[in-house]
Amino acid sequence: MASRRFSKGVTSLVLFSSLASPSFAGGLERGGYNIDQLFDTSPFSFQSGVTYVTPQRKLKDVRDTDTSTSPGGGNLNSRPNTADDTSNYTIPYIGFKAGFGDAIDCLVDYSEPFGGHTDPGLNWAGANNNIETEIKTRNYGGTCSYRFDVGPGQLRFIGGAFYQEVEGFKERLVSTVPLLVGTGNGVGRLDLEDSGWGWRAGLAYEIPEYAMRASLVYNSRVKYDNLTGTVDLTQVTAPFAPLNGAPYGRVTDVFGSAEAPDSLELKLQSGIAPDWLAFGSVKWTNWSVLQ
């Protein structure tokens, strides 16, 4: 197979732009990073769960603005100008926490912090931009803390690392010509995958008597420096130029780089009455790394 390098900007744009546009800011956020189980007062604890989400995002008044056969894919304005853009999805979590003595707690967990799935399909006016795009991450984390008495409560130092896998694909209508001449459906597909490491560090102060806790945790970027995959244009071919030559009609190896964003989160909670707890959080995520 032929080989072609994609730069960081191209790789990020091709796969992420449909999900991280200004109108869909934070659209890649799924479960995020959550280490609340680390504060469980039990010597051992196990948690698991699945959250089911139904986004129901719709596209309306869509117009094909690039009606050229190449590279626009052909005039699609005769197709419907509305589409159901997002698919339902689940967010799983599994965690096990263990305490060691009176000062050390450790947590190992599995989560899916980032992801996104748009699936407007082939029959709409924007199919030459997106038929289906999906990104998935799998995060395997280990976090420990050391706590000691300070004033009426306890100060806790937090540190850990995580290994993160990412994979994704994008399909779009590259050309309507193959369908007209019977040589293919005109759909191209990009597949990419990689993995990387990240780390976290933070502080927390707790007064258990009042169920009060304040925590500040930073999660680092994850660099995907070896994104590899393929562009499949085997369904985009015709017996005349330009669809009768490379890269059309074949599978091409591609590679590049991208980053998952770093974040800083402040969480506060306090008991306000028996069996009542008030809590809140403020979070900053560096989505600019995807631009």
Side-chain angles (χ1 to χ4, degrees):
M1 293 185 292
S3 177
R4 182 180 180 185
R5 177 174 178 82
F6 273 23
S7 69
K8 172 184 174 181
V10 173
T11 302
S12 299
L13 179 64
V14 169
L15 194 55
F16 297 154
S17 61
S18 298
L19 300 168
S21 62
S23 62
F24 203 40
L28 289 172
E29 181 91 17
R30 284 283 174 93
Y33 300 111
N34 189 341
I35 60 168
D36 286 351
Q37 190 181 352
L38 185 67
F39 301 101
D40 193 309
T41 57
S42 303
F44 300 97
S45 71
F46 174 81
Q47 292 183 11
S48 65
V50 177
T51 302
Y52 184 77
V53 182
T54 306
Q56 297 182 348
R57 182 177 184 232
K58 297 182 180 294
L59 301 174
K60 297 180 179 180
D61 301 320
V62 178
R63 184 172 179 271
D64 183 5
T65 58
D66 187 353
T67 58
S68 61
T69 302
S70 178
N75 190 340
L76 305 184
N77 285 318
S78 61
R79 301 188 182 192
N81 65 355
T82 62
D84 293 326
D85 189 35
T86 50
S87 297
N88 303 336
Y89 61 90
T90 58
I91 306 173
Y93 174 83
I94 301 174
F96 176 77
K97 176 259 179 182
F100 302 92
D102 296 328
I104 298 175
D105 296 289
C106 288
L107 168 69
V108 292
D109 69 294
Y110 168 81
S111 61
E112 297 181 2
F114 305 111
H117 189 192
T118 65
D119 186 18
L122 182 61
N123 188 32
W124 72 298
N128 51 7
N129 178 66
N130 183 39
I131 294 175
E132 184 175 7
T133 302
E134 184 172 17
I135 300 172
K136 291 182 177 180
T137 58
R138 293 179 292 272
N139 197 79
Y140 308 88
T143 307
C144 289
S145 68
Y146 177 78
R147 52 194 166 95
F148 53 92
D149 294 338
V150 174
Q154 292 185 320
L155 181 65
R156 186 188 296 251
F157 290 102
I158 301 168
F162 47 90
Y163 175 74
Q164 193 170 111
E165 299 173 335
V166 64
E167 64 180 27
F169 72 88
K170 181 182 179 75
E171 292 183 345
R172 75 175 186 90
L173 182 63
V174 178
S175 175
T176 55
V177 172
L179 190 61
L180 294 175
V181 299
T183 55
N185 59 23
V187 175
R189 179 182 172 104
L190 167 69
D191 287 274
L192 289 171
E193 63 179 8
D194 196 8
S195 60
W197 287 88
W199 57 271
R200 64 171 52 101
L203 292 169
Y205 187 74
E206 305 164 89
I207 305 179
E209 181 181 358
Y210 304 108
M212 191 280 286
R213 181 171 73 237
S215 64
L216 182 67
V217 177
Y218 172 79
N219 292 283
S220 75
R221 298 182 187 183
V222 178
K223 294 185 177 182
Y224 305 125
D225 292 328
N226 191 34
L227 275 171
T228 57
T230 58
V231 172
D232 185 347
L233 297 178
T234 54
Q235 292 294 316
V236 188
T237 183
F240 44 80
L243 301 183
N244 61 345
Y248 302 107
R250 65 193 65 189
V251 177
T252 303
D253 291 332
V254 294
F255 54 98
S257 62
E259 294 181 335
D262 50 340
S263 63
L264 181 67
E265 185 169 19
L266 173 66
K267 290 186 174 182
L268 301 171
Q269 72 167 50
S270 179
I272 55 176
D275 300 323
W276 285 85
L277 187 70
F279 58 91
S281 65
V282 178
K283 184 177 183 179
W284 168 83
T285 302
N286 188 17
W287 293 112
S288 64
V289 301
L290 298 180
Q291 295 179 356

Short mmCIF file of all heavy atoms in Angstrom, two decimals, residues 64 66-74 128-129 172-176 242-243 248:
data_model
loop_
_atom_site.label_atom_id
_atom_site.label_comp_id
_atom_site.label_asym_id
_atom_site.label_seq_id
_atom_site.Cartn_x
_atom_site.Cartn_y
_atom_site.Cartn_z
N ASP A 64 -25.61 22.48 0.75
CA ASP A 64 -24.34 22.08 0.18
C ASP A 64 -23.72 23.29 -0.51
O ASP A 64 -24.24 23.78 -1.51
CB ASP A 64 -24.55 20.94 -0.81
CG ASP A 64 -23.24 20.43 -1.40
OD1 ASP A 64 -22.17 20.89 -0.96
OD2 ASP A 64 -23.29 19.55 -2.29
N ASP A 66 -20.43 23.44 -1.57
CA ASP A 66 -19.40 23.06 -2.54
C ASP A 66 -19.99 21.98 -3.43
O ASP A 66 -19.96 20.80 -3.13
CB ASP A 66 -18.15 22.54 -1.82
CG ASP A 66 -17.00 22.28 -2.79
OD1 ASP A 66 -17.22 22.39 -4.02
OD2 ASP A 66 -15.89 21.98 -2.32
N THR A 67 -20.56 22.41 -4.55
CA THR A 67 -21.30 21.49 -5.42
C THR A 67 -20.44 20.93 -6.55
O THR A 67 -20.97 20.27 -7.45
CB THR A 67 -22.52 22.21 -6.01
OG1 THR A 67 -22.08 23.37 -6.73
CG2 THR A 67 -23.49 22.63 -4.91
N SER A 68 -19.14 21.19 -6.52
CA SER A 68 -18.27 20.65 -7.56
C SER A 68 -18.19 19.13 -7.44
O SER A 68 -18.33 18.57 -6.36
CB SER A 68 -16.86 21.25 -7.45
OG SER A 68 -16.28 20.92 -6.20
N THR A 69 -17.95 18.48 -8.57
CA THR A 69 -17.82 17.02 -8.55
C THR A 69 -16.59 16.60 -7.77
O THR A 69 -16.59 15.62 -7.02
CB THR A 69 -17.75 16.47 -9.98
OG1 THR A 69 -18.93 16.85 -10.69
CG2 THR A 69 -17.63 14.95 -9.98
N SER A 70 -15.49 17.35 -7.93
CA SER A 70 -14.26 17.09 -7.20
C SER A 70 -13.63 18.42 -6.82
O SER A 70 -13.43 19.27 -7.69
CB SER A 70 -13.28 16.28 -8.06
OG SER A 70 -12.07 16.06 -7.38
N PRO A 71 -13.39 18.69 -5.50
CA PRO A 71 -13.49 17.73 -4.39
C PRO A 71 -14.81 17.80 -3.64
O PRO A 71 -14.94 17.21 -2.58
CB PRO A 71 -12.36 18.20 -3.48
CG PRO A 71 -12.36 19.69 -3.65
CD PRO A 71 -12.73 19.94 -5.08
N GLY A 72 -15.80 18.53 -4.15
CA GLY A 72 -17.02 18.76 -3.39
C GLY A 72 -17.92 17.56 -3.24
O GLY A 72 -18.77 17.52 -2.37
N GLY A 73 -17.76 16.56 -4.11
CA GLY A 73 -18.58 15.36 -4.00
C GLY A 73 -19.84 15.40 -4.83
O GLY A 73 -20.59 14.44 -4.87
N GLY A 74 -20.10 16.53 -5.51
CA GLY A 74 -21.32 16.65 -6.31
C GLY A 74 -22.35 17.52 -5.62
O GLY A 74 -22.24 17.84 -4.44
N ASN A 128 -21.33 15.08 1.98
CA ASN A 128 -19.95 15.23 1.51
C ASN A 128 -19.05 15.82 2.59
O ASN A 128 -17.83 15.92 2.40
CB ASN A 128 -19.90 16.09 0.24
CG ASN A 128 -20.65 17.40 0.40
OD1 ASN A 128 -21.11 17.75 1.49
ND2 ASN A 128 -20.79 18.14 -0.70
N ASN A 129 -19.62 16.19 3.73
CA ASN A 129 -18.83 16.61 4.89
C ASN A 129 -18.77 15.52 5.95
O ASN A 129 -17.72 15.28 6.56
CB ASN A 129 -19.42 17.88 5.50
CG ASN A 129 -18.67 18.33 6.74
OD1 ASN A 129 -17.52 18.73 6.65
ND2 ASN A 129 -19.32 18.26 7.89
N ARG A 172 -17.32 9.92 4.77
CA ARG A 172 -18.01 10.99 4.06
C ARG A 172 -18.12 10.64 2.58
O ARG A 172 -17.38 9.78 2.07
CB ARG A 172 -17.29 12.33 4.23
CG ARG A 172 -16.02 12.50 3.43
CD ARG A 172 -15.47 13.91 3.59
NE ARG A 172 -14.34 14.18 2.72
CZ ARG A 172 -14.43 14.68 1.49
NH1 ARG A 172 -15.63 14.94 0.97
NH2 ARG A 172 -13.36 14.92 0.77
N LEU A 173 -19.05 11.29 1.90
CA LEU A 173 -19.23 11.08 0.47
C LEU A 173 -18.18 11.88 -0.28
O LEU A 173 -18.21 13.11 -0.27
CB LEU A 173 -20.63 11.51 0.04
CG LEU A 173 -20.99 11.30 -1.43
CD1 LEU A 173 -20.97 9.81 -1.77
CD2 LEU A 173 -22.35 11.90 -1.75
N VAL A 174 -17.24 11.19 -0.90
CA VAL A 174 -16.16 11.86 -1.61
C VAL A 174 -16.60 12.28 -3.01
O VAL A 174 -16.26 13.36 -3.49
CB VAL A 174 -14.93 10.94 -1.70
CG1 VAL A 174 -13.79 11.60 -2.48
CG2 VAL A 174 -14.45 10.57 -0.30
N SER A 175 -17.40 11.44 -3.68
CA SER A 175 -17.86 11.75 -5.03
C SER A 175 -19.13 10.97 -5.34
O SER A 175 -19.29 9.82 -4.92
CB SER A 175 -16.77 11.41 -6.06
OG SER A 175 -17.25 11.61 -7.37
N THR A 176 -20.03 11.59 -6.10
CA THR A 176 -21.24 10.90 -6.55
C THR A 176 -21.03 10.16 -7.87
O THR A 176 -21.87 9.37 -8.29
CB THR A 176 -22.39 11.91 -6.74
OG1 THR A 176 -21.96 12.94 -7.63
CG2 THR A 176 -22.79 12.53 -5.40
N PRO A 242 -10.26 12.31 -12.36
CA PRO A 242 -9.09 11.89 -11.57
C PRO A 242 -9.32 10.62 -10.77
O PRO A 242 -8.45 10.19 -10.03
CB PRO A 242 -8.90 13.08 -10.62
CG PRO A 242 -10.31 13.52 -10.34
CD PRO A 242 -11.06 13.34 -11.64
N LEU A 243 -10.49 9.99 -10.92
CA LEU A 243 -10.84 8.86 -10.07
C LEU A 243 -10.23 7.54 -10.53
O LEU A 243 -10.49 6.49 -9.93
CB LEU A 243 -12.37 8.72 -9.99
CG LEU A 243 -13.13 9.93 -9.43
CD1 LEU A 243 -14.61 9.63 -9.34
CD2 LEU A 243 -12.58 10.35 -8.08
N TYR A 248 -7.28 7.36 -5.29
CA TYR A 248 -8.60 6.75 -5.44
C TYR A 248 -8.48 5.27 -5.80
O TYR A 248 -7.52 4.83 -6.43
CB TYR A 248 -9.39 7.50 -6.52
CG TYR A 248 -9.56 8.96 -6.21
CD1 TYR A 248 -8.85 9.93 -6.93
CD2 TYR A 248 -10.40 9.38 -5.19
CE1 TYR A 248 -9.00 11.27 -6.64
CE2 TYR A 248 -10.54 10.72 -4.89
CZ TYR A 248 -9.83 11.67 -5.62
OH TYR A 248 -9.97 13.00 -5.32
#
